[in-house]
Amino acid sequence: MSSFLSTILLLLVPATVAHSQTRQTSPAIDQQFQLATEAMRAGNLEQAGDGFAEILKHAPTFAEAFLNLGLVREEQGRHQEAIADFQKALQLKPRLRGASLFLGVSEYRTNQLEASVAALRKETSISPKDSNAWMWLGIVALEKGDGDEAVQALDQAAKLAPENVDILYHRGRAHLFVSNDSYARMFKADPKSWRVRELLAEASAGAERHMDAIAEYEAAIKLAPNEPRLHEELGTEYRLAGKLPEAEQAYLRELEIDPENISAQYKLGVIAIESGDPLRGKSLIEGAVRVKPDLQHSDYNLARAEMLLGNDAAAAGHLEHATSAAGSDPEVVEQSWYQLGIVYRRLHRTEEAQKAMATFRKLKDEEAENSQKALKRCQTQQNPATMPSPPSPQNPQ
């Protein structure tokens, strides 16, 4: 049974309950409806379709039967018949749950995008807490090229179902579409703008082309020398390129432009530690943490400063926090355990030092194992001969 039909079946029980409560049909029709529904659940589409069609001969105003018949026809690839059945269900019950949703999906599959959006908007008004309705509205709006509506719909879907992978995937597509559209308009409107250089710098940074990023940030700074954040980003690229003096000067210039830039102050502290000035680094980082306590990896960097200053007890406290911090970079956590083992040894806490080093080795082994698995996946993808053939389609159209 397809995932589409599996999703659809979530609506069958409420429809059946509504039918049995209204008692608009005979017990015989009730039984036929149950049998057809069970056939549908079992994936016996022909039997289910025949059953719902027979019901409608005797109960032509049974909206739920039209809805379920439409679901069967949709799964059979008979999209126009499905659309007609959904429309009939809505004529009989304009607010029948799910009817507008699946009408919109069928219209989308037949490239009737305007009609599909209208149906899906109606479903979201009828069932505003239905994440699937919002997701499909976003999908169809994106297909139409309406990025703003797609983002709005998929953001709402994500609020209702924050862990739904399908919603997150389509939401990412929608936001990327809007971003690309905005960037294209920006290039067209003013190709010589400093914003264009900044965007090119960000793209190079994302691809780890740090020297290219440095060149683009410097070009942006020439056009907008006092623009906040540009020098900070330039400093970050200098640091990643191993140019610590240039990075320090960029962060200092950023703080001249924006003295309240806590991120730049923190990064300047890290640079000071890496340059062999732990006292200055510690002072800068502690000042930044007082303003923004959740700065990432601050405990690890403060521990580095304390170790250089010979304050092993203080370093141990920071490293203990660093090893348990949620959302930390795995490499930083790994190094924190290693440094913690060293500090414990200096403090003559031998048993704890051994445990810390054992944890470090375990993390290193896991890292190596994951790297090997990733390498094997890459090799498999690059060698099609080793890959299994794709299965034949079950329902060729």
Side-chain angles (χ1 to χ4, degrees):
M1 190 182 301
S2 73
S3 60
F4 180 80
L5 185 54
S6 297
T7 301
I8 285 168
L9 288 175
L10 295 175
L11 295 175
L12 293 180
V13 173
T16 307
V17 171
H19 164 60
S20 63
Q21 290 175 342
T22 54
R23 297 295 184 187
Q24 294 177 345
T25 55
S26 66
I29 294 296
D30 283 341
Q31 184 177 11
Q32 282 183 283
F33 185 85
Q34 293 290 349
L35 290 173
T37 299
E38 289 171 7
M40 191 176 181
R41 288 183 183 279
N44 300 324
L45 299 182
E46 289 294 337
Q47 180 182 344
D50 291 343
F52 289 126
E54 183 65 24
I55 289 169
L56 289 167
K57 289 180 182 179
H58 303 285
T61 61
F62 190 1
E64 287 82 356
F66 274 109
L67 170 60
N68 291 352
L69 180 59
L71 303 180
V72 172
R73 297 306 182 220
E74 180 62 33
E75 279 303 300
Q76 292 175 322
R78 296 157 66 174
H79 303 301
Q80 294 300 335
E81 293 178 57
I83 289 171
D85 289 328
F86 294 139
Q87 289 173 336
K88 184 62 178 178
L90 287 165
Q91 289 173 7
L92 295 166
K93 282 190 177 181
R95 297 182 64 83
L96 178 60
R97 183 187 170 207
S100 292
L101 168 60
F102 296 115
L103 172 61
V105 172
S106 295
E107 289 170 334
Y108 165 73
R109 289 182 168 179
T110 53
N111 205 36
Q112 302 177 56
L113 301 184
E114 292 288 349
S116 176
V117 165
L120 292 165
R121 284 175 182 162
K122 179 180 177 182
E123 186 66 31
T124 59
S125 68
I126 294 171
S127 303
K129 294 185 178 181
D130 186 344
S131 61
N132 280 320
W134 287 106
M135 181 187 75
W136 276 103
L137 177 57
I139 290 171
V140 180
L142 190 59
E143 185 70 18
K144 276 186 61 191
D146 189 342
D148 291 338
E149 181 167 17
V151 165
Q152 182 180 4
L154 287 158
D155 281 351
Q156 181 61 27
K159 288 180 182 178
L160 295 167
E163 303 301 324
N164 185 303
V165 175
D166 290 331
I167 290 172
L168 294 175
Y169 167 74
H170 291 295
R171 183 183 181 220
R173 288 179 58 230
H175 281 274
L176 183 61
F177 176 89
V178 171
S179 295
N180 288 338
D181 181 61
S182 295
Y183 295 149
R185 293 185 185 186
M186 183 179 73
F187 274 88
K188 184 177 180 181
D190 187 359
K192 295 182 180 180
S193 167
W194 68 269
R195 285 291 191 189
V196 171
R197 313 305 303 198
E198 180 187 33
L199 178 61
L200 293 172
E202 289 173 353
S204 294
E208 298 186 357
R209 299 194 307 270
H210 302 300
M211 296 309 297
D212 291 339
I214 287 169
E216 293 296 347
Y217 276 124
E218 288 179 337
I221 288 169
K222 286 182 180 179
L223 296 169
N226 296 315
E227 185 65 29
R229 205 179 70 85
L230 286 179
H231 289 84
E232 178 190 353
E233 296 302 329
L234 175 61
T236 298
E237 292 306 307
Y238 271 134
R239 180 180 172 230
L240 291 171
K243 297 178 177 289
L244 297 189
E246 291 88 345
E248 181 178 14
Q249 290 304 310
Y251 291 138
L252 286 170
R253 178 60 183 142
E254 181 67 35
L255 288 169
E256 288 177 9
I257 296 168
D258 180 11
E260 304 302 320
N261 188 327
I262 299 303
S263 175
Q265 178 182 331
Y266 173 72
K267 292 174 182 178
L268 187 61
V270 175
I271 288 286
I273 296 169
E274 292 175 347
S275 301
D277 191 350
L279 191 61
R280 178 169 173 251
K282 175 184 174 182
S283 176
L284 286 165
I285 293 175
E286 286 180 336
V289 169
R290 280 195 292 270
V291 178
K292 193 175 181 181
D294 59 346
L295 283 166
Q296 192 175 34
H297 307 321
S298 58
D299 275 305
Y300 174 72
N301 286 304
L302 283 171
R304 293 169 65 200
E306 298 289 11
M307 288 178 71
L308 289 171
L309 292 167
N311 302 326
D312 291 332
H318 287 301
L319 289 168
E320 286 165 357
H321 283 113
T323 57
S324 59
S328 290
D329 184 335
E331 185 176 349
V332 173
V333 173
E334 187 179 292
Q335 286 301 311
S336 295
W337 280 109
Y338 177 76
Q339 299 296 340
L340 189 57
I342 293 174
V343 170
Y344 280 153
R345 191 176 299 141
R346 289 180 184 174
L347 294 170
H348 307 292
R349 295 163 64 174
T350 306
E351 184 176 347
E352 290 169 288
Q354 291 172 347
K355 289 180 179 178
M357 285 300 184
T359 302
F360 165 72
R361 286 192 292 270
K362 178 183 176 183
L363 293 174
K364 287 291 288 184
D365 290 344
E366 290 175 354
E367 179 187 6
E369 183 180 351
N370 290 335
S371 296
Q372 284 297 318
K373 288 180 179 178
L375 178 61
K376 288 181 180 178
R377 284 196 298 269
C378 182
Q379 290 172 338
T380 300
Q381 291 169 356
Q382 292 176 353
N383 184 8
T386 65
M387 298 179 67
S389 300
S392 301
Q394 296 180 352
N395 296 305
Q397 300 297 319

